[in-house]
Amino acid sequence: HITLKESGPTLVKPTQTLTLTCTFSGFSLRASGVGVGWIRQPPGKALEWLALISWDDDKSYSPSLNSRLTITKDTSKNQVVLTMTNMDPVDTGTYYCVHHSLGLGEFFDYWGRGTLVTVSS
Amino acid sequence: QSVLTQPPSVSAAPGQKVTVSCSGSTSDIGSNYVSWYQHLPGTAPKLLIYDNDKRPSGIPDRFSGSKSGTSATLGITGLQTGDEADYYCGTRDSSLSGGYVFGTGTKVTVL
């Protein structure tokens, strides 16, 4: 049974760095083909993919946010950490941790409940 | 980075059928497999369709997916009040910018 849970601050100030932790269970990030990613949704807007880290430590980032994002993993703790620098009010939204799978294509088959992050002074 | 285009809303009466379109380009839908997600208010999104037309275990066959060229379609038959939600398509972007892209989202309303 795969579960993912996001944790981190609910409120950050503009220009600060956001650090979110995803703690997961039911799978190992050592297993070939497995990945963990982050997706966010601003209030009233669409889903936006942010970053992905794979079992072999391959990392990819949203092109529009690449310079602000860093994703890392700690396989011993079953955790993935996302940092986003220089936070702005437009970064307010719900941040989801997701399990990434490969079939013929790729998809996100398990999602955390999400954590609401508000950026405000 | 590209964004996939969906109609803002579709609606139908209970028991009827709706389709949700997802339009992209040769570098995203045209080159990759599509997945669909259902987002009910206050819950986490759920995978409905992957690899264009496959359903994960537990997803009823009222939900179907297809792809043709640079477009994909989600179909929902036997519409139920519990299907009222936002629906998103998603796929890999194989352009130079890369990444994964989602659609603009479609609100399905059961009349």
Side-chain angles (χ1 to χ4, degrees), chain A residues 34-55:
Chain A
V34 173
V36 172
W38 289 90
I39 292 165
R40 72 177 180 181
Q41 184 176 38
K45 296 190 176 181
L47 300 173
E48 178 184 19
W49 174 78
L50 299 177
L52 175 67
I53 188 165
S54 299
W55 62 282

Side-chain angles (χ1 to χ4, degrees), chain A residues 39-41 44-50 52 60-64 96 100 102-114, chain B residues 1 32-35 37 39 42-47 49-51 54 86 88 90-92 97-105:
Chain A
I39 292 165
R40 72 177 180 181
Q41 184 176 38
K45 296 190 176 181
L47 300 173
E48 178 184 19
W49 174 78
L50 299 177
L52 175 67
S60 55
Y61 299 101
S62 165
S64 61
Y96 296 99
H100 174 261
L102 295 175
L104 294 175
E106 51 186 303
F107 47 92
F108 305 106
D109 49 357
Y110 295 92
W111 295 60
R113 298 185 67 175
Chain B
Q1 187 179 29
N32 297 286
Y33 290 86
V34 176
S35 53
Y37 304 86
H39 194 189
T43 69
K46 179 169 70 174
L47 177 67
I49 299 287
Y50 67 97
D51 290 350
K54 296 182 175 64
D86 294 321
Y88 295 90
T91 190
R92 169 65 65 174
S97 55
Y100 194 92
V101 289
F102 285 101
T104 49

Side-chain angles (χ1 to χ4, degrees), chain B residues 41-98:
Chain B
T43 69
K46 179 169 70 174
L47 177 67
L48 278 184
I49 299 287
Y50 67 97
D51 290 350
N52 297 340
D53 57 10
K54 296 182 175 64
R55 284 176 286 106
S57 173
I59 301 300
D61 59 6
R62 301 188 298 106
F63 295 91
S64 63
S66 64
K67 176 189 138 176
S68 178
T70 59
S71 294
T73 302
L74 172 71
I76 311 174
T77 58
L79 202 60
Q80 301 176 0
T81 55
D83 298 331
E84 193 160 284
D86 294 321
Y87 291 81
Y88 295 90
C89 55
T91 190
R92 169 65 65 174
D93 179 1
S94 297
S95 68
L96 286 177
S97 55

